[in-house]
């Protein structure tokens, strides 16, 4: 028996720079991810300031969705997708970010993608900026560190809103905006890495720049939401957070307080602004203690107030613990990690698996905002084995997803207003954190490998048939 709404949006989520390829085709300019090399579970990927002939840049071809989109969307439709979350590659539309007119060939590509979705009855859910920005804006302005980028972003939004107003209803202003609350945000969320060449793991960090850059994104997001609400009342505008719940390691009150601080900063700071329309009460003390001065322009506070989103979305992969005690074992996680939880197992990349944590998180989010929620990323990155007969058996992925969907069902029974679920990487794509292909999430296997080889053939994994049944039964049959 299904507990999900009849119109529940089941589907999958991808990001342009991780699967489109065609990085310099049809007028596209280079984006920041195009300057990133591949890495692995143990070796950091590099950020370079120019394309180095001796390095491999996985976004350049990726899985070439650009030329395979019809085949791929047909496969999504075969699984019964109701929604497909993808992002628009900003530098396909504005190659440097500063042009006054958009690139027609770039716009036409997304017309084809959205038309194809519609032809299959799939609703597009579009992330406006998913961990990318035209590289020119990094070189010229140090990414979101500069307020000028707000204007370029708003121009970009206006162009795509107008072009796709009859094709796209659901929009997310920034992917995992709260990634900017930690060091990895200098590459992924904020692009504040001008002139840096070296390992991603050692990217320079300046908290003043990071939090100022986040302020610029809040303003940009609010402006986009306000514009959309004024001109396209049919649009639904959402925020997107990397929800990485943390627990106190012990019941020592010091651990409880440390965890509260961590939760506030990592998981709530950004969504409090985007969902409630103002900086949260705990921000001032955090700024003071870290010597952060947020430069605001007159009118910014009103913008934040007027630019609140219509719905909340998040990614959810893993959880970790927080402690004030010395010598505790650490664990990995999405764009960061924490202290290991002895009750949980982890993936090969050290991301702890915590389905119950998803139920807990959804309850916390809903209690705080009372907005409709979508889980727009969840999935299991794993090494898959391609068998000689072309099959791929991935029971570990099915198990991970089944347990998380079970907990979403519990959250729905708890009363959470959950509207949709898009698993991460329904088709194998390039890993954001490591730049590798070997970390696979897909229901669809792609013949593409870390050394750049592979003929790009698509193959259905066992999980493909399982997810098809899940969707067909509206989450009622998870066996
Ligand atoms: C999220 C991102 O952080 O997690 C995606 O929004 C990313 O872009 C996904 O791919 C999984 O992370 P990774 O590092 O395994 O690709």
């Amino acid at each position: 028996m299904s507990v999900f709404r009849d119109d529940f949006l089941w589907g999958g989520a991808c990001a342009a720079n991780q699967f489109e390829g065609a990085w310099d085709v049809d007028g596209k300019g280079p984006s920041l991810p195009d300057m990133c090399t591949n890495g692995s579970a143990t070796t950091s990927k590099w950020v370079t300031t120019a394309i180095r002939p001796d390095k491999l840049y996985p976004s350049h071809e990726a899985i070439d969705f650009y030329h395979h989109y019809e085949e791929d969307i047909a496969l999504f439709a075969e699984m019964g997708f109701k929604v497909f979350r993808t992002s628009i590659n900003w530098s396909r539309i504005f190659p440097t970010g500063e042009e006054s007119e958009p690139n027609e060939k770039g716009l036409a590509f997304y017309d084809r993608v959205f038309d194809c979705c519609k032809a299959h009855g799939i609703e597009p859910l579009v992330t406006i900026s998913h961990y990318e920005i035209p590289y020119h804006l990094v070189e010229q302005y140090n990414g979101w560190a500069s307020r000028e980028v707000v204007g370029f972003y708003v121009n970009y939004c206006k162009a795509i809103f107008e072009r796709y107003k009859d094709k796209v209803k659901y929009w997310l202003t920034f992917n995992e905006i709260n990634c900017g609350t930690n060091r990895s945000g200098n590459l992924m969320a904020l692009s504040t890495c001008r002139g840096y060449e070296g390992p991603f793991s050692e990217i320079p960090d300046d908290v003043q720049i990071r939090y100022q850059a986040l302020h610029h994104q809040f303003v940009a997001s609010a402006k986009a939401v306000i514009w959309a609400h004024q001109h396209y009342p049919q649009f639904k505008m959402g925020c997107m957070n990397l929800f990485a719940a943390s627990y106190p390691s012990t019941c020592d009150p010091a651990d409880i307080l440390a965890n509260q601080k961590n939760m506030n900063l990592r998981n709530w700071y950004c969504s409090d602004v985007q969902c409630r329309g103002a900086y949260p009460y705990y921000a001032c003390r955090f700024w003071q203690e870290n010597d952060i001065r947020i430069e605001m322009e007159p009118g910014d506070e009103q913008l934040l107030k007027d630019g609140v989103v219509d719905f909340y979305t998040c990614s959810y992969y893993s959880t970790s613990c927080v402690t004030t005690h010395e010598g505790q074992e650490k664990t990995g996680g999405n764009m960061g990690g924490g202290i290991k939880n002895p009750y949980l197992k982890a993936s090969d990349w050290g991301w702890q698996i915590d389905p119950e944590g998803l139920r807990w998180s959804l309850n916390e989010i809903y209690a705080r905002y009372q907005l409709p929620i979508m889980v727009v990323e969840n999935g299991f990155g794993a090494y898959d084995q391609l068998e000689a007969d072309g099959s791929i058996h991935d029971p570990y992925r099915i198990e991970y997803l089944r347990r998380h969907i079970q907990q979403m069902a519990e959250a729905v029974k708890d009363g959470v207003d959950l509207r949709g679920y898009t698993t991460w990487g329904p088709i194998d794509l390039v890993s954001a954190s490591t730049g590798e292909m070997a970390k696979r999430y897909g229901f669809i296997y792609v013949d593409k490998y870390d050394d750049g080889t592979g003929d790009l053939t698509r193959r259905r994994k066992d999980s493909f048939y399982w997810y098809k049944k899940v969707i067909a039964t509206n989450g009622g049959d998870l066996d």
Side-chain angles (χ1 to χ4, degrees):
M1 244 276 288
S2 172
V3 300
F4 297 101
R5 300 162 56 104
D6 289 344
D7 59 355
F8 193 80
L9 292 168
W10 296 97
C14 298
N17 77 80
Q18 291 172 252
F19 83 142
E20 282 180 0
W23 76 292
D24 60 354
V25 167
D26 290 338
K28 181 182 169 298
S31 68
L32 177 55
D34 293 330
M35 311 304 284
C36 294
T37 73
N38 61 346
S40 71
T42 49
T43 320
S44 182
K45 67 180 192 179
W46 271 52
V47 191
T48 61
T49 51
I51 302 300
R52 309 288 172 209
D54 56 327
K55 304 252 187 212
L56 207 143
Y57 293 86
S59 74
H60 291 195
E61 183 184 54
I63 60 156
D64 198 24
F65 175 79
Y66 196 82
H67 297 106
H68 290 74
Y69 71 92
E70 286 176 296
E71 178 186 355
D72 294 344
I73 293 170
L75 284 164
F76 299 154
E78 192 182 322
M79 278 186 277
F81 277 24
K82 314 281 181 215
V83 65
F84 173 43
R85 173 179 173 230
T86 190
S87 68
I88 293 179
N89 210 323
W90 185 345
S91 63
R92 237 181 244 301
I93 311 300
F94 290 99
T96 68
E98 293 210 60
E99 294 82 357
S100 51
E101 291 303 317
N103 171 31
E104 176 52 35
K105 284 189 173 164
L107 287 170
F109 169 64
Y110 295 103
D111 271 326
R112 296 196 292 278
V113 169
F114 300 144
D115 288 345
C116 187
C117 285
K118 290 282 175 190
H120 285 289
I122 298 174
E123 182 76 41
L125 162 60
V126 171
T127 316
I128 297 170
S129 176
H130 189 128
Y131 284 170
E132 49 77 27
I133 188 172
Y135 189 61
H136 169 81
L137 299 182
V138 181
E139 285 180 307
Q140 201 67 29
Y141 299 98
N142 198 19
W144 285 96
S146 164
R147 178 133 186 158
E148 282 183 80
V149 173
V150 174
F152 302 132
Y153 174 87
V154 172
N155 284 346
Y156 162 54
C157 288
K158 287 180 178 173
I160 57 177
F161 289 170
E162 182 55 23
R163 178 71 168 222
Y164 308 122
K165 61 178 187 282
D166 299 322
K167 300 179 182 181
V168 178
K169 174 175 162 194
Y170 296 105
W171 300 87
L172 305 177
T173 52
F174 289 99
N175 180 63
E176 292 185 340
I177 189 168
N178 59 322
C179 172
T181 64
N182 74 37
R183 183 177 184 164
S184 63
N186 288 299
L187 177 70
M188 310 305 252
L190 304 170
S191 314
T192 44
C193 55
R194 173 166 55 188
Y196 175 67
E197 175 140 340
F200 171 38
S201 56
E202 288 167 33
I203 197 154
D205 189 34
D206 179 328
V207 282
Q208 167 62 35
I209 292 179
R210 243 192 310 118
Y211 280 86
Q212 185 63 47
L214 262 180
H215 179 72
H216 296 150
Q217 290 199 329
F218 294 148
V219 169
S221 174
K223 286 190 170 195
V225 170
I226 292 167
W227 183 265
H229 284 160
Q230 283 171 349
H231 296 83
Y232 312 100
Q234 73 275 25
F235 284 6
K236 296 285 177 209
M237 305 299 295
C239 62
M240 197 305 201
N241 277 267
L242 185 171
F243 206 88
S246 61
Y247 309 129
S249 270
T250 70
C251 50
D252 177 348
D255 280 5
I256 308 288
L257 280 171
N259 184 56
Q260 186 177 55
K261 191 173 171 187
N262 184 66
M263 283 294 292
N264 280 344
L265 200 62
R266 300 267 177 256
N267 291 301
W268 300 126
Y269 179 91
C270 296
S271 51
D272 280 353
V273 176
Q274 293 185 294
C275 297
R276 290 174 160 168
Y279 276 103
Y281 71 91
Y282 50 83
C284 279
R285 180 168 183 178
F286 168 72
W287 293 336
Q288 274 161 14
E289 290 180 353
N290 289 279
D291 218 8
I292 295 167
R293 291 160 314 283
I294 304 291
E295 255 181 56
M296 294 203 199
E297 285 189 1
D300 278 6
E301 284 177 335
Q302 191 60 43
L303 276 173
L304 298 184
K305 200 167 166 200
D306 295 341
V308 293
V309 294
D310 304 313
F311 64 108
Y312 175 101
T313 79
C314 64
S315 60
Y316 180 91
Y317 293 92
S318 61
T319 62
S320 60
C321 294
V322 168
T323 190
T324 55
H325 299 254
E326 296 292 317
Q328 304 291 304
E329 201 180 335
K330 295 210 166 112
T331 183
N334 192 9
M335 306 296 162
I339 300 299
K340 196 168 172 173
N341 184 333
Y343 298 98
L344 302 178
K345 295 200 172 91
S347 76
D348 287 333
W349 282 260
W351 296 20
Q352 297 188 131
I353 303 163
D354 184 7
E356 282 86 357
L358 177 55
R359 176 182 178 184
W360 182 81
S361 301
L362 291 172
N363 272 277
E364 290 293 303
I365 295 161
Y366 193 58
R368 202 169 179 109
Y369 304 129
Q370 280 103 46
L371 285 174
I373 301 174
M374 289 191 208
V375 175
V376 295
E377 286 187 31
N378 173 237
F380 193 60
Y383 297 108
D384 287 338
Q385 177 65 44
L386 174 61
E387 306 294 343
D389 64 359
S391 59
I392 303 99
H393 306 302
D394 55 348
Y396 38 82
R397 182 167 295 110
I398 294 173
E399 179 63 8
Y400 177 98
L401 295 171
R402 175 189 293 128
R403 292 177 62 207
H404 283 79
I405 296 172
Q406 279 165 347
Q407 293 303 318
M408 288 196 316
E410 291 302 322
V412 169
K413 288 195 245 170
D414 292 335
V416 171
D417 183 5
L418 188 64
R419 303 289 179 96
Y421 177 67
T422 55
T423 65
W424 177 249
I427 183 163
D428 293 344
L429 37 62
V430 176
S431 158
S433 56
T434 65
E436 64 195 320
M437 274 305 300
K439 190 180 187 188
R440 294 175 184 270
Y441 286 87
F443 302 118
I444 302 161
Y445 186 92
V446 182
D447 194 76
K448 181 75 195 278
Y449 304 96
D450 285 337
D451 60 2
T453 60
D455 65 11
L456 300 173
T457 300
R458 276 68 168 147
R459 292 184 174 87
R460 295 165 186 79
K461 303 182 192 176
D462 287 355
S463 56
F464 180 99
Y465 303 101
W466 174 82
Y467 196 47
K468 181 176 177 171
K469 185 182 61 180
V470 170
I471 298 177
T473 58
N474 199 25
D477 183 353
L478 302 176
D479 290 341

